[in-house]
Amino acid sequence: MAPTPAYGLIATDLDGTLLRGDDTVSDRSLAALARVARAGARHLVVTGRPAPRVRLLLANLGCTGLAVCGQGAQVYDAAAGRLLWSVRLDRELAETALGKIEAEVGQVYAAVDQDGVDGLTLIEPGYLMPHPTLPAVQVARRDDLWCEPISKVLLRHATLSDDELASVARAAVDSLATVTMSGPGTVELQPRGVTKATGLALAAERLGIGAERALAFGDMPNDIPMFHWAGRGVAMANAHPELKAVADEVTSSNEDDGIAVVLERVFPAG
């Protein structure tokens, strides 16, 4: 009888982690994930991207199971094409939070991810998408961002760094929303208490896999709750210093197959 693998769940962030800069996954990483599947372990994408923005990627990866999307606000069933669980960010609360942040730093530029498997990403004038390959619809004014239920708000500032904007936002709206930083130019507001860890815990429970058997990979501060939840957290060489500080291990960069380097060791061939 084949031995049970040490890890039954491999949780990977996408941008800056599994994906290279051109939004592709290397052949070596794909082979490592195939090795994981042959060993009987499960691979879960755990991403800040909302479900509509990952459906094609999941299909290209051959993922037909669960995925955690929207910074943990959504658990998506790729095979059924539906959300098993989702949490919305109250739109009035989101407007209030934006006002509090702007009272501290002046004008910010905002975008929202709408809830649902067909939700759009809406951007107000002045907001620049950090990932130009991701589709977005520009609206005429901020009020138009709130036309449908949303899962999160994305923020940018003309002069503040991501770290500076995230720090001010946390101080201003800590009681209203969770503030995360998930990539260059990506500071976000999501429902209070919702993180990648909450979504991952729900998905893992559905799969019957405990946190101690989870191996997580990430690159940004929004992955910190996931690292705290998982049995082991591995940061990429290109990771933010805050994530490296809590990681159990640092691997190669996303451009240098950092995930594959670890998985090939943890799941030996044969």
Side-chain angles (χ1 to χ4, degrees), residues 77-133:
D77 184 336
R82 66 187 182 95
L83 290 173
L84 301 181
W85 183 79
S86 66
V87 180
R88 293 173 175 176
L89 177 60
D90 181 88
R91 286 169 280 177
E92 290 186 8
L93 184 150
E95 282 191 280
T96 299
L98 281 178
K100 287 180 173 292
I101 294 168
E102 289 186 320
E104 298 294 329
V105 299
Q107 184 176 16
V108 298
Y109 300 100
V112 300
D113 285 334
Q114 293 179 333
D115 188 38
V117 293
D118 296 312
L120 301 173
T121 297
L122 305 181
I123 62 175
E124 70 175 350
Y127 184 89
L128 299 176
M129 287 292 288
H131 299 287
T133 60

Side-chain angles (χ1 to χ4, degrees), residues 73 87-90 151-152 176-178 189-195:
V87 180
R88 293 173 175 176
L89 177 60
D90 181 88
S151 60
K152 65 179 178 179
L176 301 178
T178 295
L189 308 179
Q190 60 205 64
R192 191 168 187 267
V194 170
T195 68

Side-chain angles (χ1 to χ4, degrees), residues 10-20 26 29 215-221 223 226-227 233-263:
I10 308 303
T12 66
D13 174 48
L14 286 178
D15 298 289
T17 303
L18 180 61
L19 296 180
R20 296 179 291 191
S26 72
S29 292
L215 174 62
F217 293 86
D219 73 307
M220 291 298 290
D223 295 312
M226 179 169 70
F227 277 26
V234 181
M236 314 305 289
N238 50 287
H240 191 282
E242 288 182 17
L243 186 68
K244 287 182 176 179
V246 302
D248 297 297
E249 177 182 350
V250 177
T251 185
S252 306
S253 73
N254 62 317
E255 299 291 346
D256 295 319
D257 299 306
I259 287 180
V261 168
V262 175
L263 292 182

